[in-house]
């Protein structure tokens, strides 16, 4: 029985090699049995095909670092990266979780089992990214925390234009006294979104004063605290634009505690358009980031580098979309 099974496997292998090289099964058999009546070129073709089958193909590994909890924001990016890597036949090595913020992960990448990396919102300084690049290790940054060095490939959303769009929306509804809960001052996204808000207000002849501005970490709790401070001002803002949807949820909570109706008494906007934005009451007006597209583009950029080509562009900004729902209304 074992001999019969082996014969079946051998016949299948012969047919596979014949199909690959375009010669007959009989010719493949003659080459394997070292018959002399085979043309040298045909013999070489068959032997090369046989060698390819004997040599296992090494699957390239991409190290994906996301030093944060895989929420619906980071989870969408990572899932998109994973699916796209699989389509390209690449293996994913995932390093996720907030504990990763305190490890020296980048220094060990050159010489490791990883062939390349995708770094999501890396907490490291730009100098560390430059050092990794100078070591010859290929990588792409997704959603950079700080402005990426000139020679580092990076993919992000168009934060400034998205923020300007949502502020323009509030201005078109008649709002002029607009509070801003911005992100961390040292973040690229926070700086760019604040610049977008300022530009829209300036176009309407409004100066954003310091008492109408708060900087926070992008959490619901800090959003609630900042909104509480803004809503306790006299007069209070008629609208608040928030760094992200989680901050906006905290703002809704602060408004509810003060008996304010959204949007009748206060308009509130978010940013990102994660699932949470449609689960709030009222549903959030926000700015949609193309999170899944960011993941796909990052893999495409990395594939070009791995294949020996330059990325099509080093710094790619993907367009955002204003999504108007129920948390904003005319003044």
């Amino acid at each position: 029985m074992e001999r019969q099974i082996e014969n079946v496997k051998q016949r299948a292998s012969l047919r596979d090699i014949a199909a690959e090289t375009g010669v007959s099964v009989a010719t493949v058999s003659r080459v394997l049995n070292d018959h002399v009546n085979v043309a040298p070129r045909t013999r070489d073709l068959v032997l090369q095909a046989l060698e390819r089958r004997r040599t296992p193909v090494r699957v390239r590994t991409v190290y994906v670092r996301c030093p944060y909890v895989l929420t619906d924001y980071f989870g969408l990016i990572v899932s998109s990266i994973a699916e796209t890597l699989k389509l390209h036949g690449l293996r994913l090595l995932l390093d996720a979780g907030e504990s990763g913020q305190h490890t020296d992960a980048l220094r060990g990448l050159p010489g490791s089992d990883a062939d390349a990396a995708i770094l999501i919102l890396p907490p490291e300084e730009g100098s560390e990214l430059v050092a990794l690049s100078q070591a010859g290790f290929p990588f792409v940054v997704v959603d950079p925390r700080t402005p990426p060095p000139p020679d580092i490939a990076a993919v992000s959303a168009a934060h400034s234009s998205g923020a300007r769009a949502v502020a323009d929306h509030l201005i078109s509804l008649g709002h002029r006294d607009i509070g801003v809960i911005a992100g961390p001052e040292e973040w690229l996204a926070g700086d760019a979104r604040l610049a977008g808000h300022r530009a829209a207000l300036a176009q309407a002849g409004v100066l954003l004063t310091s008492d109408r501005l708060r900087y926070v970490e992008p959490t619901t709790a800090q959003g609630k605290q900042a909104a509480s401070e803004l809503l306790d001002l006299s007069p209070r803002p008629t609208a608040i634009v928030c760094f992200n949807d989680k901050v906006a949820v905290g703002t809704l909570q602060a408004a509810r505690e003060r008996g304010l109706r959204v949007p009748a008494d206060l308009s509130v906007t978010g940013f990102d358009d994660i699932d949470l934005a449609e689960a709030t009451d009222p549903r959030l007006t926000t700015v949609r980031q193309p999170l899944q597209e960011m993941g796909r583009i990052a893999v495409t950029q990395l594939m070009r580098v791995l294949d020996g080509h330059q990325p099509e562009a080093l710094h790619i900004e993907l367009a955002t979309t204003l999504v108007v729902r129920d948390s904003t209304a005319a003044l």
Side-chain angles (χ1 to χ4, degrees):
M1 177 62 72
E2 290 181 0
R3 182 181 297 276
Q4 290 176 344
I5 293 174
E6 187 61 34
N7 289 339
V8 169
K9 287 181 178 178
Q10 185 177 13
R11 286 196 297 273
S13 178
L14 293 177
R15 285 197 297 271
D16 292 341
I17 295 174
E20 181 179 340
T21 57
V23 302
S24 67
V25 173
T27 299
V28 174
S29 179
R30 286 197 295 272
V31 171
L32 296 181
N33 288 298
D34 204 24
H35 285 198
V36 294
N37 59 336
V38 179
R41 181 175 178 277
T42 301
R43 184 184 299 276
D44 287 343
L45 280 175
V46 172
L47 291 177
Q48 288 169 12
L50 181 63
E51 185 61 28
R52 284 194 293 272
R53 290 177 178 276
R54 286 175 176 166
T55 305
V57 178
R58 181 181 178 275
V59 178
R60 292 183 294 187
T61 299
V62 176
Y63 169 77
V64 177
R65 183 167 185 249
C66 182
Y68 309 94
V69 177
L70 295 183
T71 59
D72 40 7
Y73 180 91
F74 293 111
L76 284 173
I77 297 174
V78 170
S79 294
S80 177
I81 290 171
E83 291 169 359
T84 311
L85 288 175
K86 187 174 182 180
L87 288 175
H88 286 283
L90 301 176
R91 187 167 71 95
L92 167 69
L93 177 61
L94 178 61
D95 180 7
E98 292 181 339
S99 61
Q101 295 179 17
H102 311 293
T103 61
D104 192 12
L106 302 192
R107 189 170 298 178
L109 286 176
S112 69
D113 292 336
D115 298 282
I118 295 176
L119 310 175
I120 303 171
L121 195 62
E124 289 80 11
E125 298 292 332
S127 59
E128 295 182 65
L129 299 177
V130 170
L132 183 61
S133 178
Q134 290 176 343
F137 189 84
F139 67 95
V140 174
V141 175
V142 177
D143 199 10
R145 181 188 297 266
T146 57
D151 296 333
I152 303 299
V155 181
S156 65
H159 298 290
S160 181
S161 60
R164 180 160 189 165
V166 77
D168 281 337
H169 166 68
L170 290 172
I171 291 167
S172 73
L173 294 174
H175 295 277
R176 294 298 182 272
D177 190 352
I178 300 174
V180 176
I181 305 179
E185 293 183 77
E186 68 275 11
W187 282 24
L188 173 63
D191 184 60
R193 293 179 196 179
L194 180 56
H197 296 320
R198 288 189 188 277
L201 290 168
Q203 184 71 30
V206 177
L207 176 65
L208 178 62
T209 56
S210 59
D211 66 317
R212 258 49 180 171
L213 174 62
R214 298 291 185 278
Y215 295 96
V216 301
E217 292 293 323
T219 66
T220 298
Q222 291 213 18
K224 181 180 178 181
Q225 175 61 38
S228 297
E229 295 174 8
L230 291 174
L231 294 176
D232 287 343
L233 295 173
S234 182
R236 60 171 172 78
T238 63
I240 296 179
V241 292
C242 301
F243 176 73
N244 68 0
D245 295 337
K246 290 183 178 180
V247 170
V249 168
T251 300
L252 293 177
Q253 292 173 354
R256 190 174 299 114
E257 287 182 358
R258 285 158 178 76
L260 297 174
R261 299 165 299 163
V262 177
D265 301 318
L266 176 73
S267 286
V268 177
T269 67
F271 205 107
D272 291 342
D273 195 30
I274 58 178
D275 289 345
L276 186 64
E278 286 203 272
T280 57
D281 183 19
R283 299 180 310 149
L284 276 175
T285 291
T286 188
V287 176
R288 179 176 298 148
Q289 283 204 74
L291 301 176
Q292 293 170 301
E293 186 65 13
M294 286 163 60
R296 287 192 288 268
I297 292 294
V299 175
T300 300
Q301 292 289 82
L302 194 63
M303 287 299 302
R304 289 187 60 82
V305 175
L306 285 172
D307 290 339
H309 306 294
Q310 287 294 321
E312 294 179 359
L314 281 172
H315 298 170
I316 296 177
E317 283 193 354
L318 301 180
T320 54
T321 306
L322 175 66
V323 180
V324 178
R325 295 195 180 101
D326 309 322
S327 65
T328 52
L331 186 62

